[in-house]
Amino acid sequence: MTDAGASPSLPLRDFASGTRLLADRWAFDDVEVLKSFHDVGLDQPCDFELPGATRRCLPANRAIHREGVGPYADRSCSEPWAAADVQAPFAVVTPRDACAGSPVVHRTGPLEQRAAFFRDGERCVRSTLTVSMQPLREVVPAESFVAAHEENEAREGRVDARVLVADDGARLTLAGFDRAREEVVLPDDAADGTLRWLPSRVAFKNAGAELPARCADAAAKIASSAVCPLSAALVLEGSCGRGELHLLGAPVAGCIDGSFTFAVAGAIPAERFARATYADRGSGPVRRRSFDGVTLGPLVDAASGEPCVVVRATDGVDRCLPEQSELVAYFADETCTTPAFAHPLNGCETGAWPTLVRDRARAYQVTGMASALYESKDGACAPFAPAVRSASFSVRELGAERFTPARALRD
């Protein structure tokens, strides 16, 4: 595997193929980004996204059943089915405790639209809507899927790369690892406003869950989505997802069914976390953001300096279009000729607005604030007032050729 600090003559990538898992990727000159792994043994795309005591590359085209939650096909919640938008060859049953159990894969029956039931504590409750779901068939042995474990890959500073290493040799960078604090970390804004490597596997206090009075000061993490060990508690403040990091105290039993719950100990000063710096690596029109030699960040359009994502553009070519997505459905003038969008405000906005946005396959340059919005309605141009407080912007559509094409490759 090549990290972002390697020779510029080599691809800047945070992944590697194995003997069975081959990397499907987007390539731009000397920069590459993973689309997915392809399991040649199953001839299926797969990913390591579902947590479990053992991590495996599970089929990406899957239906989902949450153990102890649903969906179920009967009023007693004894016949598990799996929810899916389209017919999936596999269904995955996710465990209630991802730190002690692992997902179980089943073959599936045909997709049906039918009444579904879900467990709510001890009750079995019927959904008010019909659900697209598939019956579970025979279990597929866990050994049918490539397993992986985490290890650290050395970097020059205090933070190493945390890498998922598959049994067949495939590799994927997940995060950083702070050697001084011995915890898995990601770059983020700290409470003091600086960019630092902060704990990524945390429990949350004030996240909205209703707790018994004796647990009111506890921090919780849903067990089915936990990746262990947890290393801190994030005490949220307000409604913007920001807060202060604290030490985890002792486990607290009987607070929330299906969650890990901990007492919250002392606050951790921001300066205890390693400072993070980043650079956009590569020499072409699309680059890759790297944090202290750990390649984790987005693709970046070198011309604008803004993040981009691979999208099928209006000319039918896969290109790196602006990452910021908006609904460009309005106009900034009373003749409905200047396109515009309204971005809902929640009071949590920080930093500058992007100069480029995307509406599905189309890209736009933001040309300024719009003092009023209009919509084309019944052949006329009529004033439009957003239902929620919004910031409105006028835009100009950019030709697809302005954006760099991506090459689809497989090892």
Side-chain angles (χ1 to χ4, degrees):
M1 183 175 72
T2 303
D3 67 65
S7 167
S9 64
L10 295 175
L12 304 183
R13 58 197 309 204
D14 56 355
F15 58 90
S17 292
T19 56
R20 175 171 161 178
L21 300 182
L22 302 185
D24 283 331
R25 61 199 191 276
W26 296 117
F28 305 87
D29 294 339
D30 54 354
V31 170
E32 297 185 356
V33 64
L34 183 69
K35 291 170 59 181
S36 67
F37 285 113
H38 190 88
D39 186 331
V40 296
L42 298 174
D43 194 23
Q44 291 278 332
C46 68
D47 59 54
F48 290 99
E49 293 178 2
L50 295 179
T54 300
R55 298 285 286 275
R56 294 185 183 274
C57 202
L58 300 180
N61 183 13
R62 59 186 176 236
I64 292 290
H65 174 87
R66 294 174 57 198
E67 182 183 26
V69 176
Y72 297 89
D74 64 312
R75 295 180 182 277
S76 61
C77 288
S78 60
E79 186 182 347
W81 282 45
D85 293 327
V86 297
Q87 178 76 33
F90 299 96
V92 178
V93 177
T94 61
R96 300 189 72 175
D97 181 349
C99 295
S102 294
V104 176
V105 181
H106 293 250
R107 298 285 181 182
T108 58
L111 185 71
E112 297 183 26
Q113 292 278 341
R114 58 183 299 164
F117 297 83
F118 294 87
R119 284 197 178 277
D120 180 10
E122 297 300 319
R123 299 187 305 151
C124 185
V125 180
R126 178 172 176 164
S127 171
T128 57
L129 302 173
T130 59
V131 176
S132 298
M133 56 185 190
Q134 298 175 251
L136 305 184
R137 301 300 192 220
E138 70 274 13
V139 171
V140 181
E143 297 73 22
S144 303
F145 309 100
V146 178
H149 66 278
E150 294 183 17
E151 62 182 46
N152 298 331
E153 192 174 83
R155 295 292 186 267
E156 291 184 1
R158 168 175 154 180
V159 175
D160 290 337
R162 185 71 162 184
V163 180
L164 195 64
V165 181
D167 290 348
D168 76 327
R171 301 171 72 89
L172 175 65
T173 301
L174 298 175
F177 186 85
D178 186 331
R179 293 194 306 277
R181 295 185 54 81
E182 297 187 331
E183 63 186 346
V184 178
V185 290
L186 287 172
D188 203 350
D189 292 326
D192 64 353
T194 60
L195 183 65
R196 295 182 182 271
W197 288 96
L198 303 183
S200 66
R201 298 173 180 179
V202 301
F204 299 90
K205 180 184 175 185
N206 303 330
E210 293 186 9
L211 297 173
R214 66 182 184 81
C215 303
D217 292 328
K221 174 64 179 176
I222 298 173
S224 62
S225 61
V227 180
C228 293
L230 304 179
S231 63
L234 179 59
V235 179
L236 298 171
E237 301 168 357
S239 59
C240 296
R242 304 187 188 109
E244 187 176 42
L245 285 157
H246 287 243
L247 296 169
L248 278 180
V252 181
C255 290
I256 306 177
D257 184 43
S259 292
F260 301 127
T261 314
F262 301 86
V264 177
I268 309 172
E271 59 268 21
R272 299 281 179 86
F273 302 111
R275 291 291 293 263
T277 59
Y278 70 85
D280 294 338
R281 300 302 183 96
S283 59
V286 173
R287 310 201 176 168
R288 186 76 192 277
R289 189 150 293 175
S290 173
F291 294 84
D292 299 309
V294 183
T295 305
L296 289 170
L299 295 170
V300 176
D301 183 311
S304 67
E306 295 190 7
C308 62
V309 293
V310 179
V311 174
R312 181 67 53 85
T314 53
D315 62 352
V317 176
D318 294 316
R319 297 179 181 274
C320 210
L321 298 187
E323 180 181 65
Q324 180 69 37
S325 179
E326 300 285 353
L327 178 62
V328 183
Y330 309 107
F331 299 90
D333 64 312
E334 58 187 11
T335 60
C336 287
T337 56
T338 302
F341 67 87
H343 182 88
L345 299 176
N346 57 17
C348 302
E349 293 75 21
T350 60
W353 293 99
T355 61
L356 300 174
V357 298
R358 169 178 57 86
D359 185 348
R360 291 161 293 189
R362 298 181 181 277
Y364 299 85
Q365 181 179 15
V366 178
T367 56
M369 299 287 291
S371 58
L373 288 179
Y374 301 83
E375 63 177 337
S376 180
K377 187 175 183 181
D378 298 327
C381 190
F384 172 79
V388 298
R389 190 169 67 94
S390 301
S392 302
F393 297 88
S394 59
V395 296
R396 176 175 63 88
E397 186 170 0
L398 299 173
E401 67 279 359
R402 150 70 176 80
F403 299 95
T404 307
R407 291 177 291 131
L409 301 176
R410 177 181 295 172
D411 285 334

